[in-house]
Amino acid sequence: MKTLPVISDFQIFVKPVGALCNLHCSYCYYIEKQEMKGLREQRRMPDDVLEMYIRQHIDATREQLAFFSWHGGEPLLAGIDFYRKALALQQKYAPTGKTIINGIQTNGTLINEQWCSFLAEADFEVGISLDGPEHLHNTFRLTQDGGETFKRVLRGFDLLVMHGIDPEMLCVVNAVNVKYPLEVYRFFRHLGVPYITFIPLVEPANTDTKVSDRSVNPEDFGRFLCAIFDEWLEKDIGRVKVQIFEEALRTAFKQEHTLCIFKPECGRVPVIEQNGDFYSCDHFVNPQFRLGNIGDTTLEHLLESDAQKTFGRAKSVTLPQYCRNCEVLDMCHGECPKNRFIAAPNGEPGLNYLCAGYKMFFKHCRPFVDAVAMALYR
């Protein structure tokens, strides 16, 4: 989901039903989390935890705008009444002049008229997960019994649009759809999607390639981005926003990255699980990175704790020298630490698995970014 401007320097991924989901996407890294001790006992966030979280989130937000990111699993499983309660609590605790925005990321299969009416009335930002046209989306995004989901997702998307909501699109780029960059992009453009995020699938595995067969190949991912960038530049600039293109262009404007994976340090996008547990990051929901519970320690203290700051700084501290010398370091900063498990050409550990793809793309778009910078500062 896109990061909004002029909001707090943190973004919480709050999971009202934890990893619970009505689907069983084969690449989902949440599936194994459903049975984690401390989480399996509480299937939905209790009212007292919800109230604590909302109050603490607002208290920790120093800016005028507070952004709530509802995630899962599948967050719609919490039910409309849960979010009505959340909205009421936001109004209860928001001081005069504070603006509240809610965003929700859904697989789209549970969207119906009732949900659309509620989300439109409450002015939610809505993100939908869709991996491209039907033959590509249905490869990995399946129901619990292995059924296809494309038609249900598209119906949910169409209903949202009919109710005046322009959903953002989150597309997981995997070993299959990466081969069809323009088909994927043109499909989204045909739908009229205004904002697209491409998430590369990287599943570590004990194999010669170090990743699963579903994982995207780095060079293929680079070619995927380059092909879409060229078409976007020719036909859609100013009309369609592609998150990674927006992030690359921030360097032309001398702006900091808004997306955590491209920042020099991370740690400002933690997770609150349904029982109030605080984890350092969405990709590190395991006992080592459970820093506490908001029932015992406030969200603000957890965000500013030494442990969380150490977690965030580790991204830059462990960055290989190979990356520090890279010509596109300002665009990438080593990307997400979860993907830094291969060796650099000089044998140095900790290189990002996707390095070759990112370097290909960022070098490809650099002339355009430099031209924008020159036009701005000449």
Side-chain angles (χ1 to χ4, degrees), residues 21-80:
C21 188
N22 62 314
L23 302 186
H24 197 277
C25 303
S26 55
Y27 57 57
C28 180
Y29 59 91
Y30 278 156
I31 293 173
E32 64 185 38
K33 309 298 183 184
Q34 292 182 9
E35 297 304 319
M36 280 183 61
K37 184 178 180 181
L39 300 182
R40 64 175 179 263
E41 296 84 1
Q42 185 66 61
R43 287 305 189 185
R44 197 183 85 167
M45 182 174 282
D47 291 350
D48 60 333
V49 176
L50 175 65
E51 184 162 6
M52 267 192 302
Y53 163 64
I54 287 175
R55 175 173 50 80
Q56 292 182 21
H57 185 128
I58 291 172
D59 287 346
T61 304
R62 299 290 173 244
E63 289 75 13
Q64 180 185 358
L65 193 152
F67 184 48
F68 287 79
S69 299
W70 304 97
H71 278 250
E74 175 46 58
L76 296 193
L77 290 173
I80 290 176

Side-chain angles (χ1 to χ4, degrees), residues 3 10 12 37 49 74 95 146 162 166 182 197 207 223 319:
T3 303
F10 67 86
I12 309 293
K37 184 178 180 181
V49 176
E74 175 46 58
M162 287 172 55
D166 289 322
L182 294 184
T197 295
T207 65
R223 287 186 283 269
L319 192 67

Side-chain angles (χ1 to χ4, degrees), residues 2 42 73 84 123 156 170 174 185 255 277 291 295 345 349 356 359:
K2 69 182 177 184
Q42 185 66 61
R84 288 199 178 104
D123 201 24
L170 190 152
N174 53 66
Y185 179 66
Q255 297 173 334
D277 282 351
L291 302 192
K359 184 176 287 190

